Amino acid sequence: MLMKTTPFHPRLNELNQTGLYGHWSGYLSALRYDLAAKHEYFAVRNSAGFFDTSPLYKYRITGPDAERFLAGVMTRDVRRCRPGQAMYTVWCDDAGYVLEDGVVFREAEDDWLLTAADPNMGYLEDLVGRLRVSIEDVSADYGMLAVQGPRSREILATLAPEVNDLAFFGLTPAKIGGAPVTISRTGYTGDLGYEVRVEADDALGVLDKIIQAGDGQGFRPFGEDALLMLRIEAGLSLINVEFSSARYAFTDAERFTPKELGFGWMLGKAGAALGDDRPFIGRRAIERELRDGTSRWATVGLWIDWEAYRDLHLEHGLIVPKDENPVPWESMLYGGPDRDERVGYATSFMYSPVLQRHIAMARVLPEYAAKGSTVHLEITVDHEYLSVPATTDRLPLFNPARKTGSARELAPISMRMEQ
């Protein structure tokens, strides 16, 4: 079967200077457009960039029982998601292990859209039972474009003024160049950002309008390589990297609960019973875990001791590496008096250009989860396994106020006084 292309591909392919593509859910997905992913990364952190998220699976869930259905499947209480809002959530199996994560968009009382990285149509259909719910796979019907970065609001507002008043995880219908779109204040970069959903036939025209609106502002496309850098700084989990779906795991060591993945905030007050009365898949197992304190892991961020990292390389006569490309393997963490006890592992490790530090997302034993705890990260220097100290912290490590702040809150003081 030939790889599919997204509705935006004809234009984005013209902008791709490298011709480098990966495969995402059967679609071609640009790895990078420029010779260096760092150029695309800095566009997002300093100005704005756009990323094609069209390969995400999209399921429209409608009907009088749509809310009840989703509330019984999703771990987070989606009943609190009102029309015009979106919500990030996970869903679990009966044992309380995470199957996948995704975003639900509530467009009307009985009209929802669910996005996910992996296919879930068969799984969802099997759960409907007698509920008055219709589930439709609309993945190919829409293009989705993420517009991310500190100038994203300014760029989109010239086309759709509605974004000026859009709250974090809010969504609104709008028109761009006469084409109907849905714009949500969501994204996967941990920055101010939006996602534009448009019918496939209108996608190229909308993309051209957005590119034109960002002309002269350093606005550029970015690919998967830059996205991986951005999401690690933002502490955003990636399926098949930070966690595996319990659906495909062979052992419990490959399965993780929401709390172990750092999603305890979805479950109500820490250490207490879940804050709602609804039955949902995995609830009893999750309640037992919270009640008995049986979580095996905690997810944290790591700040690598830069002086120790530097000295370790200089002692071996090496230039200190500052590689922004995330390493594609797990790095072990050690603790104990002799640093010989394995206490966890880093799932994603990189040098952050904006933070100017080596950082990591990591899974540690609960006793090492408190902010400021010290662990030792294993690295390879001169073909020898060595370790450097690292300090734990809460995720995200990069969390600018503009990500969640309103346009008025983030306006210069002089502008606010004039208003």
Side-chain angles (χ1 to χ4, degrees), residues 46-81:
N46 294 332
S47 178
F50 51 99
F51 179 87
D52 187 357
T53 62
S54 303
L56 284 170
Y57 288 92
K58 310 169 194 70
Y59 302 108
R60 187 166 296 284
I61 302 168
T62 57
D65 293 331
E67 180 186 79
R68 180 182 172 190
F69 171 74
L70 286 168
V73 175
M74 301 300 165
T75 303
R76 195 173 178 192
D77 190 356
V78 298
R79 297 175 302 179
R80 299 177 181 176
C81 183

Side-chain angles (χ1 to χ4, degrees), residues 90-128:
V90 299
W91 48 103
C92 300
D93 62 14
D94 288 331
Y97 293 123
V98 173
L99 293 173
E100 198 171 342
D101 62 341
V103 177
V104 291
F105 300 82
R106 191 169 194 174
E107 300 189 354
E109 196 67 28
D110 298 331
D111 188 355
W112 303 69
L113 188 83
L114 170 67
T115 60
D118 284 351
N120 281 266
M121 186 67 180
Y123 171 75
L124 294 171
E125 285 183 322
D126 286 345
L127 298 174
V128 170

Side-chain angles (χ1 to χ4, degrees), residues 33 40 44 49-51 146 148 189 220-224 226-227 230:
Y33 293 83
E40 300 169 19
V44 176
F50 51 99
F51 179 87
Q148 304 283 301
T189 64
R220 63 191 304 169
F222 65 100
E224 292 185 21
L227 184 67
L230 296 160

Side-chain angles (χ1 to χ4, degrees), residues 12 23 35 86 88 109 130 139 186 194 199 267 291 348 360 406:
L12 294 179
H23 296 170
L35 296 179
Y88 174 63
E109 196 67 28
R130 297 182 179 179
S139 302
T186 52
Y194 303 84
E199 291 187 5
L267 308 174
R291 182 186 64 239
S348 294
S406 69

Side-chain angles (χ1 to χ4, degrees), residues 312-367:
L312 200 58
H313 287 84
L314 293 179
E315 288 167 4
H316 286 75
L318 299 173
I319 296 173
V320 182
K322 296 182 178 180
D323 191 349
E324 71 277 4
N325 297 296
V327 299
W329 58 80
E330 295 173 349
S331 303
M332 295 302 106
L333 298 173
Y334 296 92
D338 299 319
R339 305 179 192 175
D340 58 355
E341 176 189 357
R342 192 173 75 88
V343 299
Y345 51 96
T347 53
S348 294
F349 170 65
M350 62 173 282
Y351 177 80
S352 164
V354 72
L355 298 173
Q356 297 188 34
R357 292 282 298 276
H358 287 87
I359 63 171
M361 295 176 65
R363 195 163 290 129
V364 298
L365 297 176
E367 54 264 38

Side-chain angles (χ1 to χ4, degrees), residues 187-336:
Y188 196 56
T189 64
D191 218 310
L192 173 64
Y194 303 84
E195 289 179 298
V196 180
R197 187 170 75 248
V198 57
E199 291 187 5
D201 290 343
D202 294 326
L204 279 181
V206 167
L207 175 59
D208 286 340
K209 290 289 185 183
I210 292 175
I211 293 174
Q212 184 179 6
D215 187 41
Q217 300 195 59
F219 190 45
R220 63 191 304 169
F222 65 100
E224 292 185 21
D225 290 351
L227 184 67
L228 291 179
M229 299 159 59
L230 296 160
R231 68 99 190 164
I232 293 171
E233 293 175 341
L236 299 173
S237 293
L238 178 61
I239 192 168
N240 298 323
V241 178
E242 262 65 55
F243 69 98
S244 303
S245 171
R247 184 180 292 128
Y248 308 116
F250 285 101
T251 69
D252 284 351
E254 295 178 302
R255 300 181 176 97
F256 305 97
T257 67
K259 185 169 176 58
E260 291 171 342
L261 291 178
F263 299 142
W265 54 271
M266 293 187 184
L267 308 174
K269 295 182 179 179
L274 295 171
D276 59 75
D277 58 356
R278 70 200 158 88
F280 64 86
I281 299 171
R283 177 178 181 122
R284 290 183 179 179
I286 292 171
E287 283 183 323
R288 286 196 301 271
E289 177 193 7
L290 296 178
R291 182 186 64 239
D292 300 338
T294 56
S295 301
R296 301 161 299 172
W297 302 104
T299 295
V300 298
L302 294 182
W303 298 101
I304 313 306
D305 185 323
W306 69 271
E307 291 182 316
Y309 187 89
R310 176 200 62 194
D311 293 345
L312 200 58
H313 287 84
L314 293 179
E315 288 167 4
H316 286 75
L318 299 173
I319 296 173
V320 182
K322 296 182 178 180
D323 191 349
E324 71 277 4
N325 297 296
V327 299
W329 58 80
E330 295 173 349
S331 303
M332 295 302 106
L333 298 173
Y334 296 92

